[in-house]
Amino acid sequence: DIQMTQSPSSVSASIGDRVIITCRASQYISNWLAWYQQKPGKAPKLLIFVTSILQSGVPSRFRGSGTGTDFTLTISSLQPEDLATYYCQQANSFPFTFGGGTRVEI
Amino acid sequence: QVLLVESGGGLAKPGGSLRLSCAASGFRISDYYMTWIRLTPGKGLEWISFINNTGGTTYYADSVKGRFTFSRDNAKNSLYLQMNSLRDEDTAIYYCARDQEVTSYGSVWRGLDVWGQGTTVTVSS
């Protein structure tokens, strides 16, 4: 199975800060990576798929990049509503594993 | 409106069984592969099972293989997760989610773009 390692596990930042979350795959996954945002008590929400394609309705301050084994989610200017846990997921081979999550605190 | 609604969660004893359902509306599940994911406090999101559009292909996480069965009824626009031999560590919120779209060109993956609200399963004696 492909292991997905996210870092940091949590980050505390201020409004307006740039936040960078990384996700490393234990094997090559090409661009088959998605990012999700989960707020407390809510279902996860798709932010980005195929590494860098923004899901409809997602603010442009979210950006995904990377390829192969190393990927990044960048929030360019943190907003209060971005308080959440963020997960990466690979879709290169089954099981489509998730990273351990990154909790963003403000 | 595109919606997924899970049901069937509850309290079960170790070794017991539960059957989760996921009802779709606003789209035809026959056009999509589908997935179950669970959220546990200690482990975050865990991918647990996948089914193709016909139900002929399924995949499972090692943690549930041999105990859980994912099935679908396209005519009822519904999905099911039969959970047997439940363990304490199966305690979680279970979500169904829409996966790849089946097109004339093949399946197209755009992430898990529609999620249900989740149903809570508690396994405890």
Side-chain angles (χ1 to χ4, degrees), chain A residues 10-21:
Chain A
S10 67
V11 58
S12 182
S14 300
I15 302 303
D17 282 354
R18 185 173 71 169
V19 174
I20 298 173
I21 299 168

Side-chain angles (χ1 to χ4, degrees), chain B residues 47-124:
Chain B
W47 179 96
I48 57 171
S49 189
F50 163 96
I51 194 167
N52 74 344
N53 57 317
T54 64
T57 297
T58 52
Y59 295 102
Y60 299 93
D62 287 345
S63 58
V64 306
K65 199 175 294 181
R67 301 186 299 121
F68 289 12
T69 303
F70 193 175
S71 61
R72 62 193 296 157
D73 186 334
N74 287 345
K76 294 183 177 179
N77 224 31
S78 293
L79 306 136
Y80 308 97
L81 186 68
Q82 179 66 43
M83 308 164 64
N84 297 332
S85 303
L86 285 164
R87 304 168 179 168
D88 290 352
E89 56 265 33
D90 295 320
T91 295
I93 301 172
Y94 286 74
Y95 299 97
C96 61
R98 191 170 79 172
D99 204 311
Q100 301 168 58
E101 182 181 9
V102 179
T103 72
S104 54
Y105 308 104
S107 63
V108 178
W109 183 75
R110 302 186 190 95
L112 301 174
D113 66 341
V114 179
W115 294 65
Q117 85 288 352
T119 188
T120 300
V121 170
T122 303
V123 182
S124 174

